[in-house]
């Protein structure tokens, strides 16, 4: 007929490039479902805490640290939770051990960050460790874990350099980081029963 057939989209690029793009798209779609599903923590929450900033968080940290009895409903004991919270704040200054792929951070990660900041609180899987972080020591004394978290907050407040890229949310301002850190603490401490 002499009519020229329009090339299929993948005919205009090398097969290796097409496969890489297809693999990246598949990874993005499958991991986005996993991340969005973890916005609900799945752990029974003893309380419903909401912190606007780290000042609010410090008040509750002090309250928990002097309680006669502290129990957690999540997979970690109270010392491990406080150490995990400290790790998160420390890594926002020094850099996270492992980062999600850039395409993930700049799409799904930004959506999740906007969701948390917009609603003013965080819900996430309380058993998710920070990728690449040292294992949480179940035998760490509670007072040491509390001191580490308070020091991390103090260091963050005093920090003047460029903050590290978040391993999920990508780049964040200091105000955004403070709010996310406060929401993170509130989410974990909501699973605490204190007496």
């Amino acid at each position: 007929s002499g009519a020229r057939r329009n090339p299929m989209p993948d005919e205009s690029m090398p097969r290796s490039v097409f496969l890489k793009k297809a693999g990246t798209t598949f990874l993005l779609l499958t991991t986005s479902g996993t991340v969005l599903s973890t916005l609900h923590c799945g752990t029974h929450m003893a309380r419903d805490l909401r912190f606007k900033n780290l000042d609010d968080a410090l008040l509750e940290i002090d309250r928990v640290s002097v309680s006669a009895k502290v129990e957690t409903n999540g997979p970690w004991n109270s010392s491990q939770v406080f150490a995990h919270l400290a790790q998160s704040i420390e890594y926002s200054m020094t850099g996270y051990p492992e980062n999600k792929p850039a395409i993930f951070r700049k799409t799904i990660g930004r959506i999740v960050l906007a969701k948390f900041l917009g609603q003013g609180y965080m819900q996430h899987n309380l058993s998710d460790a920070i990728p690449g972080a040292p294992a949480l020591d179940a035998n760490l004394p509670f007072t040491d874990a509390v001191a580490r978290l308070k020091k991390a907050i103090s260091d963050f407040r005093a920090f003047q350099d460029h903050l590290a890229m978040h391993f999920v949310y990508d780049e964040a301002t200091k105000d955004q980081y403070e709010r996310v850190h406060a929401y993170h603490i509130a989410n974990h401490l909501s699973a605490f029963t204190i007496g």
Side-chain angles (χ1 to χ4, degrees):
S1 66
R4 189 173 175 205
R5 184 171 65 90
N6 289 328
M8 293 295 289
D10 62 335
E11 291 178 353
S12 63
M13 68 178 76
R15 180 176 173 79
S16 61
V17 173
F18 173 77
L19 290 174
K20 184 175 181 182
K21 287 181 180 281
T24 300
T25 301
F26 176 77
L27 175 67
L28 178 61
L29 291 173
T30 55
T31 55
S32 65
T34 301
V35 167
L36 293 176
S37 72
T38 64
L39 296 182
H40 302 286
C41 61
T43 300
H44 170 70
M45 306 308 276
R47 304 176 297 158
D48 184 20
L49 300 175
R50 304 286 170 93
F51 303 150
K52 293 178 183 176
N53 52 45
L54 290 172
D55 286 332
D56 290 348
L58 282 166
L59 290 174
E60 184 62 20
I61 290 165
D62 285 339
R63 182 167 172 251
V64 170
S65 67
V66 299
S67 297
K69 183 178 180 182
V70 178
E71 295 181 359
T72 65
N73 294 319
W76 299 324
N77 67 33
S78 55
S79 294
Q80 290 172 301
V81 171
F82 275 66
H84 166 75
L85 295 170
Q87 282 179 337
S88 181
I89 296 171
E90 292 160 357
Y91 287 140
S92 68
M93 295 177 280
T94 63
Y96 291 83
E98 295 177 13
N99 296 316
K100 295 285 187 186
I103 190 170
F104 182 95
R105 296 192 315 270
K106 295 184 181 300
T107 54
I108 300 304
R110 302 304 293 173
I111 291 169
V112 173
L113 176 62
K115 175 181 173 61
F116 290 157
L117 293 174
Q119 68 190 15
Y121 64 93
M122 174 187 295
Q123 286 180 304
H124 76 299
N125 189 334
L126 300 184
S127 64
D128 281 349
I130 297 170
L136 300 167
D137 181 3
N139 298 312
L140 177 70
F142 183 58
T143 53
D144 291 356
V146 171
R148 180 179 175 185
L149 178 55
K150 286 185 170 184
K151 181 179 186 307
I153 291 172
S154 176
D155 290 348
F156 176 83
R157 286 271 175 85
F159 193 76
Q160 297 296 319
D161 293 332
H162 180 75
L163 289 162
M165 176 184 66
H166 191 274
F167 75 103
V168 172
Y169 311 139
D170 205 67
E171 297 292 338
T173 65
K174 190 165 188 179
D175 175 68
Q176 289 172 330
Y177 254 127
E178 169 151 2
R179 291 164 63 193
V180 168
H181 287 322
Y183 302 165
H184 188 211
I185 294 169
N187 193 196
H188 276 280
L189 297 191
S190 290
F192 279 32
T193 302
I194 61 175

